[in-house]
Amino acid sequence: MSAHRILGDRFAGWQKLALDSSQCPVRNLLDRIGDRWSLLILCALAAEPRRFSALARDVPDISKRMLTQTLRTLETDGLVHREVEPSIPPKVTYSLTPLGQSFAGPMLGLIDWAEANFAQVQAARLRFAEAARTYSASLSAIASPAAKPLAHAHWKL
Amino acid sequence: MSAHRILGDRFAGWQKLALDSSQCPVRNLLDRIGDRWSLLILCALAAEPRRFSALARDVPDISKRMLTQTLRTLETDGLVHREVEPSIPPKVTYSLTPLGQSFAGPMLGLIDWAEANFAQVQAARLRFAEAARTYSASLSAIASPAAKPLAHAHWKL
DNA sequence: TTTACTAGGTCTCAAATAGAGACTAAAGAA
DNA sequence: TTCTTTAGTCTCTATTTGAGACCTAGTAAA
């Protein structure tokens, strides 16, 4: 039985229980780590425990604000451990908890897929862009040159 | 070698190549599916192809706007197929492409983890909330009753 | 002695993004 | 004639994110 069938059955199962995000583990997880930074930070910490500023350096483009916020969330969820060395200024080291480490498996699956299928995704994007270009060209051939893409164009059959 | 070590090494590898989100498959993937809805929609479609309105019903709390937008992104990335039946009003059916189906494996890994470890996450949250309560109680015992949690409190060693 | 620097944040304000809900077109049903 | 149906889109508002200034106090440099 293929993974996508299993997944589908699983989804159908949740529905019967009304998938409420506070109750459903999956909704709950997605609400937490379903953002641009969490997984990236988890990866970085999997490589090695890091201080706050090292993380800020190594996770590109993240602002201190989001870094703080994301780390806090991961900490409350028990995936990340925060340790303060009481010097002045203090030094704070973040590391994965055992629970956080156990999450590495699934994360690795995701990452492997991404690396293996990136080319296909890029190809799909090119095809889509090309299709859109062709379509809009055909539109402007009919309508006035400056015509904007029509809302509800799909309705005009 | 544990998954989290492998993951760490992988991350270290990316860094050398400067992980630029347009080039790096993983950043790229995370920028796309790293949101509240994509994975959920993919799950729903794994269960069975659905029409737009069925998706809106079955994926709870999503607005039409986000549903449209997310489906569009998944379509451009080649994970989802959109098929219009030219009646009036038109009927649009969404389904997983083979590429989308191949993504079910990794997704299932994530979901299994979520279901297996949800209890631990909840326990961590309770511990954290309790710790915060205790801490703020100890603060107000020292400072004036109405004192707000002090900014930079961690500095005062 | 004054100045600069450091680490790990927080705070404010602006920009981007998400959500709520009204609106649309054309045909068929009541 | 009015109502319903479908797959969106549009506008307006609310929430989230990002940029960047600021803070603290001990140590090092000037």
Side-chain angles (χ1 to χ4, degrees), chain B residues 35-37 61-66 69 88-89 149 151-152 154-155:
Chain B
D35 68 69
R36 214 180 354 289
W37 304 118
D61 305 328
I62 194 170
S63 66
K64 290 172 160 203
R65 193 175 161 286
M66 287 314 294
Q69 204 167 107
I88 286 188
H152 307 292
H154 56 287
W155 236 271

Side-chain angles (χ1 to χ4, degrees), chain A residues 4-81:
Chain A
H4 99 269
R5 273 277 131 234
I6 297 174
L7 189 60
D9 290 353
R10 205 71 74 87
F11 182 85
W14 305 334
Q15 280 200 291
K16 286 175 195 140
L17 309 169
L19 63 186
D20 163 21
S21 58
S22 62
Q23 307 255 336
C24 167
V26 177
R27 280 299 304 269
N28 204 294
L29 174 79
L30 293 181
D31 282 354
R32 293 304 186 115
I33 63 144
D35 68 68
R36 219 186 342 299
W37 302 119
S38 297
L39 290 177
L40 220 45
I41 289 176
L42 254 12
C43 285
L45 290 179
E48 59 185 338
R50 272 154 217 251
R51 301 246 307 271
F52 183 87
S53 47
L55 273 172
R57 221 179 315 107
D58 296 342
V59 178
D61 307 327
I62 194 171
S63 67
K64 288 174 160 200
R65 194 176 161 288
M66 286 314 292
L67 182 54
T68 304
Q69 205 167 108
T70 308
L71 283 169
R72 219 55 96 219
T73 304
L74 294 174
E75 194 194 353
T76 71
D77 284 359
L79 296 171
V80 157
H81 175 67

